[in-house]
Amino acid sequence: MEYLRNRGNFAHNVDVLNAGVGNLVPRKQPRKDCQAQNFLHCIHCHGFFTKNALWRHMMTCKFKPSVPQKPGKTRVQALCTFAAPLPPGVKVEFWKLLNNMVQDEVYSVLKSDVCIMEYGEHLYNRLGYDVGKHEYIRQKLRELGRLLICSRKNTSLKTIKDHIKPANFMQVVESVKHLAGYDSKTHAYRCPSLALKIGHNLTKISMLLESRANVQNDYSAAKDACTFRNVQTLHSYLDVQQQDLHSKLSTEASPQTWAKLAKVILAQVILFNRRRAGEVSKMTLSAYVCQNPSDPHEDVNEALSDLEKKLCQHFSRIEIRGKRGRKVPVLLTPVMKQGLDLLVGTRQECEVPRENVYLFARPSALTCYRGSDCLRHFAKVCGAKSPESLTSTKLRKQTGTLSQVLNLSNTELDQLADFLCHDVRVHRQFYRLPEGTLQLAKISKVLMALDQGRLAEFKGKTLDDINIDPEGTYY
């Protein structure tokens, strides 16, 4: 009778778990409230127990066979999970591989996500014939499970499929940084290999989703999956090159390395500021060395939000000569400034003549590198789908066009136009902050939104409503 009662309760519990609604009937009621994923059925009597109590029950279960069983909580949970009914469409072999994992929160999360399960079956179909690869497959799935847990805690992403949407790219970056232990002060990861592995996993999942969407004629989903892999191609390429060349030049001074790093930073400055290539190319060494820190006065500081104060401390601002002799501002990120400081400090060792007045000078010459040439070269080698669109002129037009999605006042539009050195109407009569502080605190928000591909998220907002932390925190 006890066995029949357990079998009836087992059938009821399976229906409740599959439907996601209803009350579970455990063999013994726990003292505290427990989630459904904390219960498992005994493989012998089909009674429903908490995971912590299951292994003790199985040692004394009156329905267990006389054959000795290997002890251990993990093995008991794996055996009982495998004995549960298979989810729809899951192969028995893959289900067995999956249930050899530790039955913890990561296991519960990855098992409930459709994309992770599809990715696991893809890996099993490709590598499952080799038993030695089974642990590798489990590790790949656990990496994604840990990412999903981190994303649910720190962002609005709820499934792995949400991670593949281009609009959520910066939230994915935030989650990966948090999971891999990124330190914003040292710009180093506690576990850099984990960030790389998750990137490879998400790329493969985007390919799977694109293939499935094409088969189902869902071209919108296919386009999203394809676009995700191409987001910020040029930015990512320049960042990697800058880090590699900075490390090489710090170790050994070389004119060739100096020249390559100068070209990369030149392209980064043009790209971030949406500045005319010729203006940045002809930036003088004296303009950089004598840069204006633009520290706001105490009374001005009170008019800024906490985030805007942080932006003023994060960015550096210099003034250069622009078109028609106008004063042109340029904002530098800490990474750019770090690279430029290294270039300035190694000019003599890398055979840059003292007479060369340019910051982005050519070694053994009195001329400078052309920003348009550098941008055109990196646009081609980075793998961008439309390299011809990545010119300083088209990027400046893009800024003017995309800024229309924001609900900028006439004052704010004038501020943005003034920063880009576009022709503007006669300035209206109003009191305004000193322009150095203004450009650091206000215009830097638009530049970061463009740099991260997130401007569309702030549609209808003013500059005061836009909140983008310079360290990548999502608001």
Side-chain angles (χ1 to χ4, degrees), residues 210-324:
E210 182 182 2
S211 299
R212 187 180 66 181
N214 283 327
V215 171
Q216 299 173 349
N217 293 328
D218 188 354
Y219 299 114
S220 176
K223 183 179 179 180
D224 283 348
C226 181
T227 304
F228 173 81
R229 300 196 299 274
N230 296 288
V231 168
Q232 296 189 321
T233 303
L234 180 57
H235 287 286
S236 301
Y237 179 83
L238 290 175
D239 289 343
V240 172
Q241 291 294 313
Q242 196 270 346
Q243 293 175 14
D244 182 51
L245 293 169
H246 188 281
S247 177
K248 289 181 179 178
L249 188 59
S250 301
T251 305
E252 181 181 358
S254 164
Q256 293 76 21
T257 306
W258 195 97
K260 292 178 181 178
L261 182 59
K263 293 178 183 178
V264 168
I265 298 180
L266 174 56
Q268 286 180 316
V269 175
I270 296 171
L271 194 60
F272 181 76
N273 286 270
R274 293 326 198 247
R275 183 61 61 207
R276 292 186 180 95
E279 294 172 347
V280 182
S281 301
K282 296 177 182 178
M283 186 188 304
T284 61
L285 177 62
S286 59
Y288 178 74
V289 174
C290 303
Q291 58 184 282
N292 178 16
S294 297
D295 291 331
H297 302 290
E298 291 185 5
D299 53 343
V300 175
N301 202 43
E302 294 179 0
L304 302 177
S305 66
D306 292 339
L307 176 60
E308 290 170 346
K309 294 174 186 177
K310 190 174 182 180
L311 291 172
C312 289
Q313 298 296 323
H314 183 80
F315 290 99
S316 301
R317 178 181 175 274
I318 60 178
E319 295 176 352
I320 62 177
R321 184 182 178 88
K323 195 174 181 180
R324 301 187 186 91

Side-chain angles (χ1 to χ4, degrees), residues 9 49 119 180 188 356 381:
N9 292 337
F49 296 87
Y119 180 52
N356 195 322
V381 300

